[in-house]
Amino acid sequence: MIKPNTPPLVVIMGVSGCGKSSLATRLAKHFDYRFLEADDFHCEQAKKRIQQNLPLTEEIRESWINRITVFLCQNLQPPTVLAYPGLRREHRQRLRELGYHSIFILLHGDKDLISQRMNSRDGHVLPSSVLTSQFSALQLPENEPDIFTLDLQQSPETLTTTSIALLNQAFAL
Ligand SMILES: Nc1ncnc2c1ncn2[C@@H]1O[C@H](COP(=O)(O)OP(=O)(O)OP(=O)(O)O)[C@@H](O)[C@H]1O
Ligand SMILES: O=C(O)[C@H](O)[C@@H](O)[C@H](O)[C@H](O)CO
């Protein structure tokens, strides 16, 4: 049950290209929640590294989550769906401590399938080193009962329907 003055925060998480933005926009539309894309909070240095297919440093990830949490604290009221990789446990914990009722959905699955999808999206080949480094940076849920893991190989429609049911139950909407 959502507590009064505790807006829902739904975090769609997972490695680059797992389908976060796709699912998050569908959920935001369904629930009429604010949609936030974590990529919009990147600093210039991060953008350059992403363009060059270089992994983010831990320092960059730290300043990135700082900007996101400051924004969420300063704009607390609206219920929100956030597309954010959340690869580090510590950064997920930061999101739990903001005064929202947070629930996480992790899109997880096969690296090769993500490669295929990304390559057909961008029209150019994504080096496999990028995804390899994303999978090694991902700290899988451990004692985090507020994270639901869904297999990314499912269709967008199935992922959306399953997520809506999970969220209805979690928030008792
Ligand atoms: N369930 C799905 N089935 C098939 N294709 C999908 C699915 N979800 C997303 N895609 C496709 O995979 C690609 C990556 O999806 P999306 O941009 O949503 O991922 P992302 O995790 O937000 O990526 P990034 O980390 O780069 O922002 C897109 O081309 C999208 O249309
Ligand atoms: O490594 C991470 O912490 C993130 O996954 C980023 O590197 C994403 O790749 C970037 O936001 C582009 O989507």
Side-chain angles (χ1 to χ4, degrees):
M1 183 87 70
I2 302 171
K3 296 183 204 123
N5 302 320
T6 309
L9 172 63
V10 179
V11 183
I12 309 300
M13 54 171 285
V15 297
S16 197
C18 68
K20 298 179 292 294
S21 309
S22 274
L23 178 61
T25 47
R26 283 164 181 260
L27 293 177
K29 193 169 173 205
H30 175 86
F31 288 107
D32 195 21
Y33 284 4
R34 168 175 68 176
F35 167 61
L36 285 185
E37 172 57 75
D39 285 345
D40 294 339
F41 291 79
H42 276 312
C43 62
E44 288 309 311
Q45 201 192 352
K47 287 180 196 162
K48 274 193 200 130
R49 289 187 72 89
I50 292 165
Q51 266 169 11
Q52 295 168 357
N53 289 322
L54 293 172
L56 299 183
T57 62
E58 283 311 311
E59 203 184 347
I60 292 177
R61 285 198 181 112
E62 185 67 33
S63 69
W64 186 28
I65 188 68
N66 283 344
R67 279 189 296 282
I68 295 169
T69 52
V70 165
F71 179 89
L72 284 166
C73 283
Q74 289 174 348
N75 300 272
L76 187 64
Q77 274 315 309
T80 300
V81 183
L82 168 68
Y84 169 66
L87 304 182
R88 320 298 299 179
R89 246 171 244 130
E90 191 192 326
H91 297 164
R92 305 195 289 260
Q93 188 53 30
R94 299 272 303 278
L95 292 169
R96 292 188 182 100
E97 291 164 358
L98 296 177
Y100 288 82
H101 181 163
S102 52
I103 298 285
F104 297 76
I105 295 177
L106 167 63
L107 292 175
H108 194 51
D110 185 47
K111 192 168 84 169
D112 294 336
L113 177 59
I114 299 178
S115 279
Q116 282 166 26
R117 286 181 185 168
M118 294 293 272
N119 295 338
S120 59
R121 174 179 75 168
D122 295 331
H124 70 265
V125 177
L126 181 80
S128 68
S129 59
V130 173
L131 274 179
T132 302
S133 105
Q134 287 280 297
F135 272 86
S136 64
L138 171 64
Q139 296 178 323
L140 285 169
E142 221 170 65
N143 300 320
E144 297 175 272
D146 54 1
I147 301 185
F148 299 95
T149 302
L150 301 183
D151 191 330
L152 59 85
Q153 76 173 327
Q154 298 172 84
S155 70
E157 294 73 22
T158 304
L159 289 171
T160 307
T161 310
T162 309
S163 302
I164 290 171
L166 279 172
L167 294 171
N168 278 334
Q169 201 176 13
F171 293 133
L173 291 173

